[in-house]
Amino acid sequence: MRIGTLKTDYAADEALFDTRLQKLLILLACAAAVLFPFVASPYWLFLACLCAINVASATGLNILTGYTGLVSLGQAAFMSVGAYTVAVLEIHVGTPFLLNLLVGGLLTALVGIGVGIPSLRVKGLYLAIATIAASVVLHFVFAHWPLTGGMQGLSMPPARLFGLALDQPFQLYWLVLPVTALMVLGAANLFRTRVGRAFIAIRDRDISAEVLGIPLLRYKLMSFAVSSFYAGLAGGLWAYFFRVVTPESFPLVNSIFYLAAIIVGGMGTILGGILGAVFMTMVPELLKFVAGLVTPFYPDALALLAPVRTIVFGALIVGFLIFEPHGLAEIWRRIRRFFHLWPFRT
């Protein structure tokens, strides 16, 4: 039962979309997502697919870092596990692409559990260093294991659905976007369960959570497994999207990118992972556009694009940590409150 915006039962309190406006916005977003590929150019479809892949991976990292409080700089390495698994299955086994994605996610989850074992004894900076060490080990394995093609990597055929090759942005859009939407919806529902609430309790005060009867090691490993599963699925989507997987496809800077995405978007919120990933994906495109405008006056502008992008990423992280630590999600909530309470002050 609900009276206006007052919630009077648990079902209303736990509802994902608790107002008619939210439901209407979701319906409009779904309609726009369905119509978008029919009116967009291949370039914008490419960016939409890339944004969706980054949203999937950032959501997984947000589960681990934003909701459980376990800092990781190994998200790109976990994505590489999923990408290589999908590539090997597609090339040597030929199983359906959905099964390949699922196996890639599950195998990555097992790797994540192994990496997460030290999380019971170390945390913060030490745990971040442990995940970097795991990234180095995985990079070495992929660069020297014959099955993964060494430094040359693997070139894989496109995914196929009912005999149709998904090799163009238009076709891939219908693979990437639904999978990402299901992953985001799953993450949102996860924190309505006892497992998700245990993650949050560990983040807020792990010693108190243990006193309350929450097994820290079990739930920390579970968080690593879920986060890595998301990274593995995102890596598998990345492999089908680009169809070339090499050890250099997932460098450490990509892990920093995903950490920056959840910081800029807002850690500990599903919306933050979405906004941050889309924003950080579009920043290089904005810089490229600005560089194109400056090129007639400064011919070397495009050559400076890579270092400038790194500087901008760092500046965004520092700026949001100082001026808006809750990220873009908090800015969006503030705008919503303004219109909800207008003409009164918040």
Side-chain angles (χ1 to χ4, degrees):
M1 176 181 178
R2 294 187 55 192
I3 304 174
T5 58
L6 179 64
K7 301 173 184 178
T8 58
D9 55 46
Y10 288 113
D13 186 55
E14 293 184 355
L16 282 178
F17 312 113
D18 55 357
T19 66
R20 291 181 179 178
L21 178 60
Q22 285 182 332
K23 296 176 182 178
L24 176 62
L25 291 176
I26 291 297
L27 289 175
L28 291 176
C30 292
V34 171
L35 294 176
F36 178 77
F38 296 100
V39 298
S41 66
Y43 174 74
W44 284 105
L45 285 174
F46 171 86
L47 288 180
C49 292
L50 188 59
C51 285
I53 293 171
N54 289 336
V55 165
S57 186
T59 300
L61 182 60
N62 213 359
I63 292 172
L64 181 66
T65 301
Y67 281 98
T68 317
L70 303 174
V71 181
S72 172
L73 285 173
Q75 195 71 356
F78 294 138
M79 287 182 65
S80 69
V81 176
Y84 270 108
T85 302
V86 164
V88 170
L89 290 174
E90 189 69 43
I91 294 170
H92 298 289
V93 183
T95 45
F97 69 90
L98 289 177
L99 179 60
N100 295 344
L101 288 173
L102 181 60
V103 173
L106 293 175
L107 182 59
T108 310
L110 293 177
V111 174
I113 291 174
V115 174
I117 290 176
S119 65
L120 185 64
R121 297 296 181 185
V122 297
K123 62 175 104 172
L125 178 63
Y126 301 100
L127 182 58
I129 294 174
T131 58
I132 293 176
S135 302
V136 173
V137 172
L138 289 172
H139 182 277
F140 179 85
V141 170
F142 294 140
H144 294 85
W145 194 13
L147 184 62
T148 59
M151 291 302 298
Q152 294 183 347
L154 298 173
S155 297
M156 55 184 288
R160 290 188 172 273
L161 181 62
F162 303 119
L164 175 65
L166 307 180
D167 55 358
Q168 298 297 323
F170 180 84
Q171 290 94 354
L172 287 166
Y173 179 88
W174 301 105
L175 166 64
V176 173
L177 199 72
V179 173
T180 299
L182 288 175
M183 293 169 69
V184 172
L185 184 62
N189 279 282
L190 173 65
F191 296 99
R192 304 166 67 197
T193 66
R194 59 183 297 182
V195 174
R197 290 192 289 270
F199 289 169
I200 296 172
I202 292 172
R203 177 198 64 190
D204 292 342
R205 185 72 68 177
D206 56 350
I207 296 177
S208 299
E210 189 174 26
V211 170
L212 291 173
I214 296 175
L216 292 187
L217 180 60
R218 179 194 305 173
Y219 281 97
K220 285 184 177 182
L221 293 183
M222 197 179 298
S223 180
F224 263 100
V226 174
S227 176
S228 301
F229 178 79
Y230 271 61
L233 284 180
L237 293 174
W238 191 97
Y240 277 120
F241 189 61
F242 290 100
R243 291 170 48 197
V244 176
V245 184
T246 70
E248 304 305 323
S249 299
F250 302 96
L252 179 62
V253 68
N254 282 18
S255 295
I256 298 174
F257 169 87
Y258 292 116
L259 184 61
I262 64 172
I263 291 174
V264 170
M267 289 195 295
T269 63
I270 299 299
L271 179 62
I274 298 172
L275 295 178
V278 173
F279 180 79
M280 296 300 288
T281 303
M282 298 306 296
V283 163
E285 301 304 317
L286 177 61
L287 293 176
K288 190 184 300 182
F289 175 75
V290 173
L293 296 178
V294 177
T295 298
F297 309 99
Y298 187 71
D300 295 332
L302 289 176
L304 296 174
L305 190 60
V308 168
R309 182 178 64 178
T310 305
I311 293 172
V312 169
F313 282 174
L316 285 171
I317 295 174
V318 174
F320 272 88
L321 285 175
I322 294 175
F323 299 106
E324 188 52 83
H326 296 292
L328 295 171
E330 178 60 28
I331 296 175
W332 169 247
R333 283 193 291 265
R334 197 176 297 133
I335 294 173
R336 284 184 58 195
R337 283 197 300 268
F338 174 81
F339 285 102
H340 181 70
L341 297 176
W342 188 86
F344 304 102
R345 293 175 62 91
T346 57

